[in-house]
Amino acid sequence: MRPVESQVYGVQMRLLKFALVCAFAVGAAAVMARSPRVVEIRKQYDLNRVCCDLSVLQALTLTWEEGIGGRTFPSEIGQDKWVVAKMFPGVTDGYFLDVGSGHGTIGSNTKAVEERGWTGICVDPFPLHMEGRSCQVAKEVVSSVSGQTVKFHTHSGLGGIADTLGRWKEEAQKSPAGELTTVTLAEVLDKAGAPSFIHFLSLDIEGAELDALRGIPMDKYRFGAMAIEHNDEEPKRTDIIKFLEGHGYRRTHTYRQDDFFAPAR
């Protein structure tokens, strides 16, 4: 074989090998893309973007933490993810107020931040499985006025003050009820020695959210992020938005049954 022909042949063989490698890589990528593991990670990425109003980079980082790093986020609809990935990434000394905390682990909006070093208060008249949690626990029913006697249904997950129960009222009323005395969140915060800046407020008390907010001196306490359940109940939902707008907050986004808020500036 002549030298020129030999060189051409060598180039052709290298090109052929390159083409085969590329074809193999594309084929392998196609197979991986259809694997259950990769499909699940892609679904989680899409969900993280939607639930938590995340950028592409934020969603990728969060999904990596979950899929590769093994991080867990117990909240029902990603409230804890929003706080960790969007509002306070890297913060390990935050403070939270979790009103209507319910179960200490399952569906908890604050366990994940507590595991990152945060401290705070869980407020619930009938808290469940708080063992292993380091936060303060206030076994109270909250409203806008302290000292009122109210009828409270104890339904797990849907319990609340009888007069303010909303969407799940019929279901909650199937559970036993007892009389409890209200306190305000101002009293809870003062008793706990809470700081004036609270990084995260989670509020889920089945229809009494606005009354609870009215029991906070908004000139004394400021919040960096809030996840507040609305359950599509009007006019309660609109009244909450107007109340918070009047105190310098804006709604950042909505996902399922919660509205999310942050300081307007």
Side-chain angles (χ1 to χ4, degrees):
M1 183 179 294
R2 296 177 180 177
V4 174
E5 293 175 341
S6 177
Q7 291 177 0
V8 171
Y9 177 77
V11 170
Q12 289 175 336
M13 291 303 296
R14 286 194 293 272
L15 289 173
L16 178 59
K17 289 180 181 179
F18 178 75
L20 289 172
V21 169
C22 288
F24 176 80
V26 170
V31 171
M32 288 180 62
R34 293 193 298 269
S35 72
R37 176 66 170 162
V38 173
V39 169
E40 185 61 32
I41 290 175
R42 179 54 193 263
K43 287 181 179 179
Q44 191 61 55
Y45 165 81
D46 291 338
L47 178 61
N48 285 339
R49 287 216 67 191
V50 173
C51 78
C52 308
D53 192 33
L54 301 182
S55 68
V56 171
L57 181 58
Q58 289 168 336
L60 284 172
T61 302
L62 178 61
T63 306
W64 177 270
E65 281 191 33
E66 292 178 283
I68 307 301
R71 294 280 191 179
T72 57
F73 296 88
S75 68
E76 182 182 354
I77 60 170
Q79 295 95 331
D80 47 6
K81 295 181 182 183
W82 175 65
V83 173
V84 168
K86 178 79 172 185
M87 302 304 294
F88 297 106
V91 172
T92 58
D93 59 351
Y95 197 92
F96 63 81
L97 175 61
D98 189 347
V99 187
S101 54
H103 199 289
T105 299
I106 299 173
S108 171
N109 289 349
T110 55
K111 181 175 173 59
V113 295
E114 188 175 280
E115 289 174 343
R116 283 164 168 73
W118 291 37
T119 56
I121 317 166
C122 280
V123 184
D124 198 293
F126 302 101
L128 297 172
H129 298 288
M130 296 302 294
E131 57 270 15
R133 296 292 303 267
S134 59
C135 61
Q136 298 186 57
V137 179
K139 296 181 180 181
E140 305 284 4
V141 56
V142 298
S143 188
S144 58
V145 178
S146 180
Q148 290 184 328
T149 300
V150 296
K151 183 180 179 182
F152 191 96
H153 287 278
T154 59
H155 190 291
S156 178
L158 298 174
I161 299 172
D163 290 342
T164 56
L165 286 171
R167 181 176 181 180
W168 306 108
K169 182 176 182 178
E170 291 185 8
E171 181 63 29
Q173 287 177 335
K174 297 176 184 178
S175 63
E179 289 190 344
L180 298 175
T181 303
T182 63
V183 301
T184 64
L185 283 175
E187 292 174 298
V188 171
L189 292 167
D190 184 62
K191 184 177 180 180
S196 59
F197 180 76
I198 296 168
H199 292 75
F200 177 45
L201 166 64
S202 171
L203 184 53
D204 176 1
I205 49 176
E206 305 306 325
E209 289 81 9
L210 181 57
D211 285 343
L213 288 170
R214 286 173 171 159
I216 302 173
M218 291 292 183
D219 57 341
K220 181 178 180 180
Y221 296 101
R222 296 297 292 171
F223 300 90
M226 292 180 274
I228 301 178
E229 186 178 65
H230 58 75
N231 277 331
D232 295 312
E233 296 172 30
E234 292 291 0
K236 290 180 183 179
R237 182 184 187 186
T238 297
D239 289 344
I240 289 172
I241 294 170
K242 289 180 179 179
F243 176 84
L244 290 174
E245 287 177 344
H247 286 88
Y249 297 94
R250 64 180 178 86
R251 182 171 55 172
T252 62
H253 71 291
T254 296
Y255 183 63
R256 291 174 58 181
Q257 72 266 27
D258 279 18
D259 283 326
F260 296 78
F261 298 86
R265 58 184 180 277

